Amino acid sequence: MKHIAESTVRRLSLYLRFLEEFEAHGHQTISSGELASQGGTTSAQVRKDLSFFGSFGKRGLGYSVSDLSSRLREILGLGRPWKVVIVGAGKIGAALAQYRGFRERGFRIVGIYDVDPQSIGLALDGVTVRDQRDMETDLMSLNAEIALLAVPAEVAQPLTDRLVAAGIGAILNFASTPLHVPSHVTIRSVNMALELEILSYALVNRDA
Amino acid sequence: MKHIAESTVRRLSLYLRFLEEFEAHGHQTISSGELASQGGTTSAQVRKDLSFFGSFGKRGLGYSVSDLSSRLREILGLGRPWKVVIVGAGKIGAALAQYRGFRERGFRIVGIYDVDPQSIGLALDGVTVRDQRDMETDLMSLNAEIALLAVPAEVAQPLTDRLVAAGIGAILNFASTPLHVPSHVTIRSVNMALELEILSYALVNRDA
DNA sequence: GTTACTTTGTGAAATCATTCACAAGCACCC
DNA sequence: GGGTGCTTGTGAATGATTTCACAAAGTAAC
Protein backbone atom coordinates (compact mmCIF):
# COMPACT_ATOMS: atom_id res chain seq x y z
CA MET A 1 0.00 0.00 0.00
CA LYS A 2 0.98 3.58 -0.69
CA HIS A 3 2.44 5.45 2.24
CA ILE A 4 -0.13 7.21 4.38
CA ALA A 5 0.68 10.55 5.97
CA GLU A 6 0.75 10.76 9.73
CA SER A 7 -1.73 13.60 9.63
CA THR A 8 -4.16 11.28 7.89
CA VAL A 9 -3.77 8.56 10.51
CA ARG A 10 -4.27 11.11 13.27
CA ARG A 11 -7.52 12.25 11.67
CA LEU A 12 -8.74 8.68 11.21
CA SER A 13 -8.27 8.24 14.91
CA LEU A 14 -10.38 11.32 15.56
CA TYR A 15 -13.09 10.17 13.18
CA LEU A 16 -13.30 6.93 15.08
CA ARG A 17 -13.96 8.82 18.30
CA PHE A 18 -16.82 10.76 16.77
CA LEU A 19 -18.27 7.65 15.24
CA GLU A 20 -18.34 5.97 18.62
CA GLU A 21 -20.10 8.98 20.06
CA PHE A 22 -22.58 8.96 17.21
CA GLU A 23 -23.16 5.26 17.71
CA ALA A 24 -23.88 5.85 21.40
CA HIS A 25 -26.48 8.42 20.37
CA GLY A 26 -28.18 5.83 18.19
CA HIS A 27 -27.36 7.33 14.82
CA GLN A 28 -27.14 4.88 11.92
CA THR A 29 -25.42 6.95 9.26
CA ILE A 30 -23.17 9.99 9.08
CA SER A 31 -22.01 12.17 6.21
CA SER A 32 -18.48 13.31 5.54
CA GLY A 33 -19.63 16.84 6.34
CA GLU A 34 -20.86 15.92 9.82
CA LEU A 35 -17.66 14.01 10.51
CA ALA A 36 -15.65 17.00 9.30
CA SER A 37 -17.35 19.63 11.42
CA GLN A 38 -16.66 17.58 14.55
CA GLY A 39 -13.00 17.28 13.75
CA GLY A 40 -12.45 20.81 12.53
CA THR A 41 -11.70 19.79 8.97
CA THR A 42 -13.54 19.69 5.64
CA SER A 43 -15.76 17.09 4.06
CA ALA A 44 -13.34 16.74 1.16
CA GLN A 45 -10.55 15.98 3.59
CA VAL A 46 -12.61 13.29 5.27
CA ARG A 47 -13.45 11.64 1.97
CA LYS A 48 -9.87 11.83 0.76
CA ASP A 49 -8.58 10.32 4.00
CA LEU A 50 -10.97 7.41 3.75
CA SER A 51 -10.34 6.94 0.03
CA PHE A 52 -6.79 5.79 0.72
CA PHE A 53 -8.24 2.65 2.26
CA GLY A 54 -11.28 1.96 0.12
CA SER A 55 -14.76 3.30 -0.46
CA PHE A 56 -16.90 2.81 2.56
CA GLY A 57 -19.80 5.16 1.89
CA LYS A 58 -23.04 5.14 -0.03
CA ARG A 59 -23.59 8.07 -2.38
CA GLY A 60 -26.53 10.17 -1.41
CA LEU A 61 -26.60 8.66 2.05
CA GLY A 62 -23.22 8.83 3.76
CA TYR A 63 -21.45 6.23 5.85
CA SER A 64 -22.87 3.51 8.05
CA VAL A 65 -21.67 4.47 11.51
CA SER A 66 -21.05 0.95 12.70
CA ASP A 67 -19.45 -0.25 9.47
CA LEU A 68 -17.10 2.69 9.27
CA SER A 69 -16.19 2.31 12.95
CA SER A 70 -15.13 -1.25 12.50
CA ARG A 71 -13.26 -0.52 9.30
CA LEU A 72 -11.36 2.25 11.07
CA ARG A 73 -10.61 0.06 14.05
CA GLU A 74 -9.25 -2.55 11.68
CA ILE A 75 -7.17 -0.01 9.74
CA LEU A 76 -5.72 1.43 12.93
CA GLY A 77 -4.90 -2.00 14.30
CA LEU A 78 -7.30 -1.70 17.20
CA GLY A 79 -9.01 -4.99 16.49
CA ARG A 80 -6.91 -6.68 19.13
CA PRO A 81 -5.53 -5.53 22.48
CA TRP A 82 -1.98 -4.24 22.72
CA LYS A 83 0.33 -5.00 25.61
CA VAL A 84 1.96 -1.89 26.99
CA VAL A 85 4.67 -1.39 29.59
CA ILE A 86 5.40 1.84 31.42
CA VAL A 87 9.00 2.69 32.19
CA GLY A 88 9.29 5.15 35.05
CA ALA A 89 6.82 5.25 37.94
CA GLY A 90 7.24 8.92 38.81
CA LYS A 91 4.42 11.45 38.66
CA ILE A 92 3.89 11.11 34.95
CA GLY A 93 4.32 7.35 34.81
CA ALA A 94 1.86 6.92 37.66
CA ALA A 95 -0.69 9.21 36.01
CA LEU A 96 -0.36 7.23 32.79
CA ALA A 97 -0.80 3.96 34.65
CA GLN A 98 -4.10 5.15 36.02
CA TYR A 99 -5.36 6.83 32.87
CA ARG A 100 -8.67 5.30 31.84
CA GLY A 101 -8.43 6.23 28.18
CA PHE A 102 -5.80 3.61 27.43
CA ARG A 103 -7.70 0.60 28.64
CA GLU A 104 -10.89 1.76 26.95
CA ARG A 105 -9.12 1.63 23.64
CA GLY A 106 -7.49 -1.74 24.08
CA PHE A 107 -4.11 -0.71 25.43
CA ARG A 108 -3.42 -2.91 28.43
CA ILE A 109 -0.76 -1.99 30.92
CA VAL A 110 1.08 -5.22 31.69
CA GLY A 111 4.13 -3.88 33.49
CA ILE A 112 5.58 -0.84 35.22
CA TYR A 113 9.28 -0.41 36.00
CA ASP A 114 11.33 1.94 38.13
CA VAL A 115 14.67 2.07 39.92
CA ASP A 116 13.49 3.82 43.08
CA PRO A 117 13.11 1.29 45.95
CA GLN A 118 10.33 3.54 47.30
CA SER A 119 8.28 2.97 44.17
CA ILE A 120 9.05 -0.70 43.58
CA GLY A 121 6.27 -2.82 44.99
CA LEU A 122 3.58 -0.15 44.79
CA ALA A 123 0.40 -1.17 43.03
CA LEU A 124 -0.83 1.30 40.45
CA ASP A 125 -4.26 0.48 39.18
CA GLY A 126 -3.73 -3.23 39.69
CA VAL A 127 -0.21 -3.46 38.29
CA THR A 128 2.75 -3.71 40.63
CA VAL A 129 5.80 -1.57 39.99
CA ARG A 130 8.79 -3.82 39.43
CA ASP A 131 12.52 -3.31 39.49
CA GLN A 132 13.88 -1.96 36.24
CA ARG A 133 16.38 -4.81 36.25
CA ASP A 134 13.49 -7.19 35.59
CA MET A 135 12.41 -5.23 32.54
CA GLU A 136 14.14 -7.27 29.86
CA THR A 137 13.12 -10.69 31.11
CA ASP A 138 9.55 -9.49 31.61
CA LEU A 139 9.42 -8.00 28.14
CA MET A 140 10.54 -11.28 26.63
CA SER A 141 7.99 -13.34 28.50
CA LEU A 142 5.09 -10.90 28.24
CA ASN A 143 5.80 -10.02 24.64
CA ALA A 144 4.76 -6.42 25.16
CA GLU A 145 4.69 -4.42 21.94
CA ILE A 146 4.59 -0.82 23.16
CA ALA A 147 6.47 1.08 25.85
CA LEU A 148 5.58 4.39 27.48
CA LEU A 149 8.78 6.07 28.51
CA ALA A 150 8.32 8.48 31.41
CA VAL A 151 11.80 8.96 32.83
CA PRO A 152 14.24 11.86 33.23
CA ALA A 153 15.86 13.03 30.00
CA GLU A 154 19.34 11.84 31.03
CA VAL A 155 18.35 8.17 31.14
CA ALA A 156 15.85 8.19 28.28
CA GLN A 157 18.26 7.11 25.54
CA PRO A 158 19.94 4.26 27.45
CA LEU A 159 16.54 2.92 28.48
CA THR A 160 15.36 3.22 24.90
CA ASP A 161 18.33 1.15 23.80
CA ARG A 162 17.44 -1.50 26.35
CA LEU A 163 13.82 -1.57 25.19
CA VAL A 164 14.90 -1.89 21.59
CA ALA A 165 17.33 -4.67 22.44
CA ALA A 166 14.52 -6.49 24.25
CA GLY A 167 12.43 -6.38 21.08
CA ILE A 168 9.95 -3.58 21.72
CA GLY A 169 8.07 -2.46 18.61
CA ALA A 170 7.06 1.07 19.46
CA ILE A 171 7.81 3.71 22.08
CA LEU A 172 5.84 6.72 23.23
CA ASN A 173 8.38 9.08 24.76
CA PHE A 174 7.46 11.64 27.41
CA ALA A 175 11.00 12.77 28.09
CA SER A 176 11.96 16.14 26.71
CA THR A 177 14.73 14.80 24.54
CA PRO A 178 14.54 13.31 21.04
CA LEU A 179 15.46 9.64 20.93
CA HIS A 180 17.23 7.61 18.31
CA VAL A 181 15.97 4.15 17.40
CA PRO A 182 16.58 1.74 14.53
CA SER A 183 14.12 2.08 11.69
CA HIS A 184 12.12 -1.02 12.56
CA VAL A 185 11.04 0.62 15.82
CA THR A 186 8.44 3.38 15.76
CA ILE A 187 8.80 6.25 18.13
CA ARG A 188 6.67 9.25 18.99
CA SER A 189 7.28 12.00 21.47
CA VAL A 190 4.93 13.96 23.67
CA ASN A 191 6.75 17.02 24.89
CA MET A 192 4.58 19.20 27.07
CA ALA A 193 7.03 22.04 27.62
CA LEU A 194 7.45 22.25 23.88
CA GLU A 195 3.70 22.52 23.39
CA LEU A 196 3.67 25.42 25.82
CA GLU A 197 6.43 27.10 23.86
CA ILE A 198 4.34 26.85 20.71
CA LEU A 199 1.53 28.56 22.61
CA SER A 200 3.98 31.18 23.80
CA TYR A 201 4.99 31.87 20.22
CA ALA A 202 1.34 32.15 19.21
CA LEU A 203 0.62 34.60 22.02
CA VAL A 204 3.54 36.82 21.12
CA ASN A 205 2.68 36.77 17.42
CA ARG A 206 -1.07 36.98 17.81
CA ASP A 207 -1.63 39.83 15.40
CA ALA A 208 1.28 39.13 13.06
CA MET B 1 5.46 38.99 9.06
CA LYS B 2 4.75 36.06 6.80
CA HIS B 3 2.95 33.19 8.43
CA ILE B 4 5.26 30.61 9.99
CA ALA B 5 4.37 26.93 9.89
CA GLU B 6 3.78 25.18 13.17
CA SER B 7 6.35 22.57 12.24
CA THR B 8 8.91 25.35 11.99
CA VAL B 9 8.05 26.74 15.43
CA ARG B 10 8.27 23.26 16.89
CA ARG B 11 11.75 22.82 15.47
CA LEU B 12 12.89 26.22 16.72
CA SER B 13 11.89 25.09 20.15
CA LEU B 14 13.98 21.95 19.76
CA TYR B 15 16.97 23.92 18.49
CA LEU B 16 16.78 26.07 21.60
CA ARG B 17 17.05 22.98 23.77
CA PHE B 18 20.17 21.78 21.99
CA LEU B 19 21.70 25.21 22.15
CA GLU B 20 21.24 25.29 25.89
CA GLU B 21 22.88 21.91 26.16
CA PHE B 22 25.74 23.07 23.99
CA GLU B 23 26.11 26.18 26.07
CA ALA B 24 26.31 24.09 29.22
CA HIS B 25 29.12 22.13 27.61
CA GLY B 26 31.00 25.33 27.00
CA HIS B 27 30.74 25.43 23.21
CA GLN B 28 30.85 28.84 21.61
CA THR B 29 29.59 28.18 18.10
CA ILE B 30 27.51 25.55 16.36
CA SER B 31 26.86 24.79 12.71
CA SER B 32 23.51 24.13 11.11
CA GLY B 33 24.65 20.57 10.52
CA GLU B 34 25.33 19.91 14.19
CA LEU B 35 22.01 21.44 15.15
CA ALA B 36 20.30 19.30 12.52
CA SER B 37 21.77 15.97 13.57
CA GLN B 38 20.56 16.52 17.14
CA GLY B 39 17.05 17.22 16.00
CA GLY B 40 16.79 14.56 13.34
CA THR B 41 16.53 16.98 10.47
CA THR B 42 18.82 18.43 7.80
CA SER B 43 21.15 21.39 7.81
CA ALA B 44 19.17 23.01 5.00
CA GLN B 45 16.04 22.75 7.10
CA VAL B 46 17.72 24.44 10.03
CA ARG B 47 18.97 27.30 7.90
CA LYS B 48 15.61 27.71 6.21
CA ASP B 49 13.80 27.76 9.55
CA LEU B 50 16.09 30.46 10.89
CA SER B 51 15.99 32.46 7.66
CA PHE B 52 12.32 33.29 8.25
CA PHE B 53 13.42 35.45 11.15
CA GLY B 54 16.71 36.90 9.98
CA SER B 55 20.29 35.82 9.41
CA PHE B 56 21.98 34.96 12.63
CA GLY B 57 25.03 33.02 11.49
CA LYS B 58 28.50 33.76 10.21
CA ARG B 59 29.48 32.07 6.97
CA GLY B 60 32.36 29.70 7.40
CA LEU B 61 31.86 29.61 11.14
CA GLY B 62 28.29 28.81 12.10
CA TYR B 63 26.14 30.35 14.80
CA SER B 64 27.12 31.85 18.11
CA VAL B 65 25.47 29.56 20.63
CA SER B 66 24.57 32.29 23.10
CA ASP B 67 23.40 34.77 20.46
CA LEU B 68 21.21 32.25 18.72
CA SER B 69 19.79 31.08 22.03
CA SER B 70 18.66 34.53 22.97
CA ARG B 71 17.28 35.24 19.52
CA LEU B 72 15.26 32.04 19.67
CA ARG B 73 14.01 32.80 23.16
CA GLU B 74 12.91 36.19 21.94
CA ILE B 75 11.23 34.77 18.83
CA LEU B 76 9.40 32.16 20.87
CA GLY B 77 8.27 34.73 23.42
CA LEU B 78 10.26 33.16 26.24
CA GLY B 79 11.95 36.38 27.23
CA ARG B 80 9.45 36.90 30.00
CA PRO B 81 7.66 34.48 32.33
CA TRP B 82 4.15 33.30 31.52
CA LYS B 83 1.44 32.85 34.09
CA VAL B 84 -0.26 29.48 33.80
CA VAL B 85 -3.29 28.01 35.54
CA ILE B 86 -4.15 24.34 35.70
CA VAL B 87 -7.79 23.36 35.52
CA GLY B 88 -8.40 19.93 37.01
CA ALA B 89 -6.36 18.56 39.91
CA GLY B 90 -6.77 14.88 39.12
CA LYS B 91 -3.90 12.56 38.31
CA ILE B 92 -2.86 14.41 35.19
CA GLY B 93 -3.39 17.89 36.60
CA ALA B 94 -1.36 17.02 39.67
CA ALA B 95 1.45 15.55 37.58
CA LEU B 96 1.51 18.71 35.48
CA ALA B 97 1.60 20.89 38.58
CA GLN B 98 4.70 19.12 39.75
CA TYR B 99 6.44 18.90 36.43
CA ARG B 100 9.82 20.61 36.61
CA GLY B 101 10.13 21.32 32.92
CA PHE B 102 7.54 24.09 32.97
CA ARG B 103 9.16 26.27 35.59
CA GLU B 104 12.59 25.83 34.04
CA ARG B 105 11.28 27.40 30.88
CA GLY B 106 9.52 30.31 32.46
CA PHE B 107 6.00 28.90 32.76
CA ARG B 108 4.84 29.67 36.27
CA ILE B 109 1.88 27.85 37.75
CA VAL B 110 -0.15 30.52 39.52
CA GLY B 111 -3.39 28.64 40.15
CA ILE B 112 -4.94 25.18 40.22
CA TYR B 113 -8.70 24.57 40.22
CA ASP B 114 -10.94 21.60 40.85
CA VAL B 115 -14.50 20.82 41.93
CA ASP B 116 -13.71 17.89 44.20
CA PRO B 117 -13.83 18.94 47.88
CA GLN B 118 -11.18 16.25 48.53
CA SER B 119 -8.75 18.05 46.26
CA ILE B 120 -9.54 21.64 47.17
CA GLY B 121 -7.05 22.89 49.72
CA LEU B 122 -4.29 20.47 48.80
CA ALA B 123 -0.92 22.06 48.09
CA LEU B 124 0.72 20.87 44.90
CA ASP B 125 4.28 22.03 44.60
CA GLY B 126 3.57 25.19 46.54
CA VAL B 127 0.28 26.10 44.88
CA THR B 128 -2.99 25.43 46.68
CA VAL B 129 -5.86 23.84 44.77
CA ARG B 130 -8.81 26.21 44.78
CA ASP B 131 -12.50 25.84 44.10
CA GLN B 132 -13.34 26.00 40.42
CA ARG B 133 -15.91 28.68 41.29
CA ASP B 134 -13.04 31.03 42.10
CA MET B 135 -11.48 30.51 38.70
CA GLU B 136 -12.90 33.52 36.90
CA THR B 137 -12.17 36.07 39.60
CA ASP B 138 -8.67 34.67 40.06
CA LEU B 139 -8.01 34.77 36.33
CA MET B 140 -9.03 38.41 36.19
CA SER B 141 -6.84 39.42 39.11
CA LEU B 142 -3.85 37.23 38.25
CA ASN B 143 -3.98 37.96 34.54
CA ALA B 144 -2.92 34.45 33.65
CA GLU B 145 -2.35 33.98 29.95
CA ILE B 146 -2.29 30.20 29.53
CA ALA B 147 -4.48 27.40 30.90
CA LEU B 148 -3.70 23.69 31.08
CA LEU B 149 -6.97 21.82 30.85
CA ALA B 150 -6.84 18.41 32.51
CA VAL B 151 -10.46 17.48 33.09
CA PRO B 152 -12.84 14.74 31.88
CA ALA B 153 -13.94 15.12 28.25
CA GLU B 154 -17.57 15.85 29.20
CA VAL B 155 -16.73 19.10 30.97
CA ALA B 156 -13.86 20.21 28.75
CA GLN B 157 -15.90 22.40 26.42
CA PRO B 158 -17.92 24.23 29.10
CA LEU B 159 -14.74 24.93 31.05
CA THR B 160 -13.07 26.13 27.88
CA ASP B 161 -15.93 28.56 27.34
CA ARG B 162 -15.49 29.86 30.87
CA LEU B 163 -11.75 30.31 30.38
CA VAL B 164 -12.32 32.14 27.12
CA ALA B 165 -14.93 34.39 28.71
CA ALA B 166 -12.47 35.19 31.49
CA GLY B 167 -9.96 36.34 28.90
CA ILE B 168 -7.49 33.48 28.66
CA GLY B 169 -5.17 33.72 25.65
CA ALA B 170 -4.15 30.11 25.07
CA ILE B 171 -5.18 26.64 26.21
CA LEU B 172 -3.30 23.37 26.26
CA ASN B 173 -5.94 20.67 26.28
CA PHE B 174 -5.32 17.20 27.71
CA ALA B 175 -8.90 15.99 27.35
CA SER B 176 -9.53 13.54 24.55
CA THR B 177 -12.01 15.75 22.77
CA PRO B 178 -11.40 18.58 20.30
CA LEU B 179 -12.42 21.97 21.62
CA HIS B 180 -13.87 24.96 19.86
CA VAL B 181 -12.60 28.44 20.67
CA PRO B 182 -12.88 31.86 19.02
CA SER B 183 -10.03 32.66 16.69
CA HIS B 184 -8.28 35.05 19.05
CA VAL B 185 -7.60 32.17 21.44
CA THR B 186 -4.93 29.61 20.60
CA ILE B 187 -5.53 26.02 21.47
CA ARG B 188 -3.46 22.87 21.26
CA SER B 189 -4.31 19.35 22.26
CA VAL B 190 -2.23 16.59 23.73
CA ASN B 191 -4.09 13.37 23.27
CA MET B 192 -2.21 10.40 24.62
CA ALA B 193 -4.62 7.68 23.56
CA LEU B 194 -4.49 9.08 20.06
CA GLU B 195 -0.70 8.93 20.04
CA LEU B 196 -0.94 5.27 20.99
CA GLU B 197 -3.34 4.67 18.15
CA ILE B 198 -0.85 6.15 15.73
CA LEU B 199 1.71 3.69 17.11
CA SER B 200 -0.80 0.90 16.73
CA TYR B 201 -1.26 1.82 13.08
CA ALA B 202 2.49 1.86 12.58
CA LEU B 203 2.88 -1.57 14.18
CA VAL B 204 0.18 -3.09 12.02
CA ASN B 205 1.55 -1.55 8.84
CA ARG B 206 5.20 -2.04 9.62
CA ASP B 207 6.18 -3.63 6.37
CA ALA B 208 3.62 -1.90 4.13
C1' DG C 1 -40.16 5.55 -14.03
C1' DT C 2 -38.86 10.11 -13.88
C1' DT C 3 -37.37 14.02 -11.48
C1' DA C 4 -35.16 16.46 -7.73
C1' DC C 5 -32.00 16.19 -4.25
C1' DT C 6 -28.06 14.48 -1.65
C1' DT C 7 -23.52 12.74 -0.98
C1' DT C 8 -19.63 10.03 -2.38
C1' DG C 9 -15.12 9.21 -4.73
C1' DT C 10 -11.47 11.17 -7.19
C1' DG C 11 -8.55 13.43 -10.79
C1' DA C 12 -6.73 18.07 -11.27
C1' DA C 13 -5.28 22.37 -9.27
C1' DA C 14 -3.55 24.91 -5.66
C1' DT C 15 -1.14 25.47 -1.61
C1' DC C 16 2.31 24.39 1.67
C1' DA C 17 6.79 22.33 3.21
C1' DT C 18 11.21 20.33 2.36
C1' DT C 19 15.32 19.57 -0.17
C1' DC C 20 18.73 20.90 -3.52
C1' DA C 21 22.43 23.41 -5.09
C1' DC C 22 25.37 27.08 -5.30
C1' DA C 23 27.07 31.95 -4.94
C1' DA C 24 28.72 34.77 -1.32
C1' DG C 25 31.09 35.57 2.99
C1' DC C 26 34.30 34.65 6.51
C1' DA C 27 38.40 32.38 9.00
C1' DC C 28 42.77 30.66 8.84
C1' DC C 29 47.26 29.79 7.05
C1' DC C 30 51.30 30.65 4.58
C1' DG D 1 47.34 39.50 0.46
C1' DG D 2 45.94 35.56 -1.96
C1' DG D 3 44.56 30.85 -1.66
C1' DT D 4 41.93 27.09 0.68
C1' DG D 5 38.30 25.26 3.15
C1' DC D 6 33.98 25.79 5.60
C1' DT D 7 29.41 27.26 6.31
C1' DT D 8 25.66 30.37 5.61
C1' DG D 9 21.54 32.25 3.16
C1' DT D 10 18.37 31.63 -0.39
C1' DG D 11 16.13 31.14 -5.03
C1' DA D 12 14.55 27.17 -7.64
C1' DA D 13 12.99 22.47 -7.79
C1' DT D 14 10.81 18.88 -5.83
C1' DG D 15 7.62 16.55 -3.02
C1' DA D 16 3.59 16.30 0.03
C1' DT D 17 -0.88 17.63 1.49
C1' DT D 18 -5.10 19.98 1.03
C1' DT D 19 -8.74 21.93 -1.54
C1' DC D 20 -11.57 22.22 -5.59
C1' DA D 21 -14.99 20.75 -8.55
C1' DC D 22 -17.75 17.58 -10.72
C1' DA D 23 -19.37 13.10 -12.65
C1' DA D 24 -21.41 9.08 -10.79
C1' DA D 25 -24.46 6.77 -7.77
C1' DG D 26 -27.63 6.54 -4.59
C1' DT D 27 -32.41 8.00 -2.05
C1' DA D 28 -37.04 9.65 -1.88
C1' DA D 29 -41.29 11.37 -3.53
C1' DC D 30 -44.85 11.29 -6.65
Side-chain angles (χ1 to χ4, degrees):
Chain A
M1 153 128 46
K2 196 178 147 292
H3 174 256
I4 302 297
E6 186 204 299
S7 51
T8 296
V9 178
R10 162 169 259 109
R11 282 190 301 266
L12 292 179
S13 210
L14 278 176
Y15 302 157
L16 177 54
R17 279 194 164 58
F18 304 141
L19 287 168
E20 285 170 350
E21 230 172 85
F22 256 69
E23 208 161 18
H25 283 67
H27 294 72
Q28 307 280 306
T29 61
I30 189 173
S31 71
S32 57
E34 291 170 291
L35 220 32
S37 67
Q38 290 285 316
T41 182
T42 66
S43 63
Q45 179 80 79
V46 171
R47 295 198 301 276
K48 181 65 89 180
D49 286 341
L50 296 175
S51 78
F52 293 129
F53 300 94
S55 40
F56 308 132
K58 274 207 170 50
R59 297 176 187 221
L61 194 60
Y63 302 87
S64 151
V65 172
S66 64
D67 281 9
L68 188 55
S69 297
S70 40
R71 296 307 297 269
L72 285 181
R73 258 188 290 271
E74 191 185 322
I75 289 165
L76 292 170
L78 302 175
R80 54 163 172 124
W82 292 98
K83 280 175 273 183
V84 178
V85 297
I86 297 177
V87 182
K91 290 285 160 7
I92 308 230
L96 292 172
Q98 293 168 68
Y99 180 53
R100 289 264 159 279
F102 293 150
R103 187 158 332 184
E104 279 166 16
R105 305 208 128 260
F107 297 100
R108 289 212 307 244
I109 312 295
V110 297
I112 309 179
Y113 302 92
D114 206 308
V115 284
D116 177 9
Q118 295 269 294
S119 300
I120 296 168
L122 284 180
L124 295 174
D125 211 37
V127 183
T128 303
V129 179
R130 285 166 59 78
D131 194 306
Q132 218 163 69
R133 279 175 294 203
D134 300 328
M135 193 174 77
E136 278 87 350
T137 47
D138 282 14
L139 275 175
M140 305 289 194
S141 64
L142 292 167
N143 257 301
E145 295 103 346
I146 301 176
L148 307 183
L149 191 60
V151 299
E154 310 84 69
V155 294
Q157 185 64 56
L159 277 167
T160 299
D161 297 342
R162 284 175 60 188
L163 287 166
V164 169
I168 205 78
I171 298 174
L172 186 54
N173 169 40
F174 289 84
S176 66
T177 183
L179 299 175
H180 299 272
V181 292
S183 64
H184 63 91
V185 176
T186 305
I187 192 151
R188 297 190 55 75
S189 287
V190 172
N191 190 329
M192 293 173 297
L194 193 137
E195 300 294 331
L196 275 188
E197 291 178 22
I198 297 175
L199 290 181
S200 167
Y201 174 83
L203 285 171
V204 166
N205 297 277
R206 232 193 283 245
D207 29 43
Chain B
M1 156 132 43
K2 198 176 144 294
H3 175 257
I4 302 295
E6 186 204 299
S7 50
T8 296
V9 178
R10 162 170 259 109
R11 282 190 301 265
L12 292 181
S13 210
L14 278 176
Y15 301 157
L16 177 55
R17 277 193 166 60
F18 303 140
L19 286 169
E20 286 170 349
E21 231 173 85
F22 256 69
E23 208 161 19
H25 283 66
H27 294 73
Q28 306 280 307
T29 60
I30 188 172
S31 70
S32 57
E34 291 171 291
L35 220 32
S37 68
Q38 289 286 315
T41 180
T42 66
S43 64
Q45 179 80 78
V46 172
R47 295 197 302 276
K48 181 65 92 180
D49 286 340
L50 296 175
S51 78
F52 293 129
F53 300 93
S55 41
F56 309 131
K58 275 206 171 49
R59 297 177 187 221
L61 195 59
Y63 302 87
S64 150
V65 173
S66 63
D67 282 8
L68 189 54
S69 296
S70 40
R71 297 307 299 267
L72 285 180
R73 258 188 291 269
E74 191 186 320
I75 289 166
L76 291 169
L78 302 175
R80 54 163 172 124
W82 292 98
K83 281 175 273 183
V84 178
V85 297
I86 297 178
V87 182
K91 288 285 158 8
I92 307 229
L96 293 172
Q98 293 168 70
Y99 180 54
R100 289 263 159 279
F102 294 150
R103 187 157 333 184
E104 279 167 15
R105 305 211 129 257
F107 297 101
R108 289 213 308 245
I109 312 295
V110 297
I112 310 179
Y113 302 92
D114 206 308
V115 286
D116 178 8
Q118 295 268 295
S119 300
I120 296 168
L122 283 180
L124 294 174
D125 211 35
V127 183
T128 303
V129 179
R130 284 167 59 77
D131 194 305
Q132 218 161 69
R133 280 175 294 202
D134 300 328
M135 193 174 74
E136 278 88 349
T137 48
D138 281 14
L139 275 175
M140 305 289 194
S141 64
L142 292 167
N143 258 299
E145 296 104 345
I146 301 176
L148 306 184
L149 192 60
V151 300
E154 311 84 70
V155 295
Q157 186 63 57
L159 277 167
T160 298
D161 297 342
R162 285 175 60 187
L163 287 166
V164 169
I168 204 80
I171 298 174
L172 185 56
N173 170 41
F174 289 85
S176 65
T177 181
L179 299 175
H180 299 273
V181 292
S183 64
H184 63 91
V185 177
T186 306
I187 194 153
R188 298 190 54 76
S189 287
V190 171
N191 190 328
M192 294 172 299
L194 193 138
E195 300 295 330
L196 276 188
E197 290 176 24
I198 297 175
L199 290 181
S200 167
Y201 174 84
L203 285 172
V204 166
N205 296 277
R206 231 194 284 246
D207 30 42

